[in-house]
Amino acid sequence: ILRQRFCHQRLPEKPMGIESQHKHLLELLRRTAVHGESNSVLIVGPRGSGKTMLLKCVLRDLLEVKDVNKNVLQVHLNGLLQTDDRIALKEITRQLNLENVVGDKVFGSFAENLAFLLEALKKGDRSSSRPVLFILDEFDLFAHHKNQTLLYNLLDVSQSAQAPVAVIGLTCRLDVLELLEKRVKSRFSHRQIHLLSSLSFRQYLDNVILQLSLPPDFADAKFFEEWNDSIKNVSEVLHQVSVCKPSIKPTDLLEASRVCVADSKANILHGLSVLELCLIIAMKHLSDIYEGEPFNFQMVHNEFKKFLQRKSQSIYNFDKPVVMKAFEHLQQLELIKSVDGSTGKIHKEYQLMKLMLDHNQIMEALQKYPQCPTDVKQWALSAFG
């Protein structure tokens, strides 16, 4: 029963603690699906806060509305999978079942291609167009696409009423709007739904107990009573329960909590060499100086050399090919990413890159890094606070 409840991710009847956000989002998407009104919205919150669950609950409730199920179309994109606009457009075409309609047609621009897809969905006049919900998971990663063409065109369509379209972005980044270009930002509705837990600790404990308790119709009444009584004495999350080990210990709960909140990128940082960590600090420093503009290897190497000359007594003065090898390793780990269109004939030392880490991830890695040289930590603190 518990495995099915947790692992199969059955949606709750009503999302607990986020009722107002559920009502707001459902009304927004209902206006698109029923009345053909275009909208855009961002769902913002830390990992595990319930963004996807909220959206799934809303979509489930929306599809129960009369005629919506047969009419509304959904396109699900993910910034981790659709890493450039060409891949994203191909996926949009596939999900809308329009591969045969597009065929071998050649389009002059992304906007033309998208307009053609939306036109193909029309059943007659504009008022009879089928509503499309574009769901963009890891929304902030789409902001790294060249010229933000996908975001610009989707938001432009949602603003200009060419077709009934809703653009729903999901992101962990509170500063996501700062990543958008001016022309993209101007076309966004600036509606944001924040999922920051409003539960009191008592409500949180009640919710945990509810999730771990067996239902009243459980076959064995004696075990049902014993289990639920034991759960009431526990105020953490379920972990490592089996037939052989039917009880929960505090250490199990602490370990489960640690695994749940682990940041995969921060974990990668813990395994880097000191040289690679220094390059990350240099990149973050450059990003701060140039307000998020891309950088290349040569700029990073120069920044690293300045650190060696001014502040470091503990770091060896590595040869340039060794530093380049470390730089390429960071790219393989996807901690840095080439900017679209910057490869090709450009020499690898001058190819433009973006750092895919935020301030907190870097600082946390420095704190937990085993035997991190003091001057490296001091450089990081002086470089970006």
Side-chain angles (χ1 to χ4, degrees), residues 7 13 23 33 120 139 174 224 255 281 287 302 337 339 381:
C7 301
E13 286 297 315
K23 183 181 177 184
F139 180 88
L174 290 168
F224 158 79
E255 177 60 19
I281 295 167
S287 294
N302 291 342
K337 180 184 170 190
V339 176
L381 291 168

Side-chain angles (χ1 to χ4, degrees), residues 82-146:
Q82 285 76 47
T83 52
D84 64 42
D85 291 343
R86 182 183 56 80
I87 299 171
L89 201 53
K90 206 169 181 180
E91 184 61 16
I92 292 170
T93 308
R94 188 190 69 78
Q95 290 190 34
L96 293 177
N97 297 316
L98 293 174
E99 290 108 324
N100 293 336
V101 180
V102 172
D104 297 324
K105 286 185 175 64
V106 178
F107 298 96
S109 68
F110 185 96
E112 280 180 31
N113 200 333
L114 185 64
F116 177 83
L117 294 178
L118 294 172
E119 192 68 32
L121 297 172
K122 292 186 178 179
K123 293 185 286 186
D125 58 12
R126 182 178 293 177
S127 63
S128 62
S129 293
R130 295 183 70 178
V132 187
L133 308 180
F134 286 95
I135 294 141
L136 276 60
D137 212 344
E138 306 289 350
F139 180 88
D140 49 288
L141 296 183
F142 288 100
H144 294 303
H145 289 196
K146 187 182 179 183

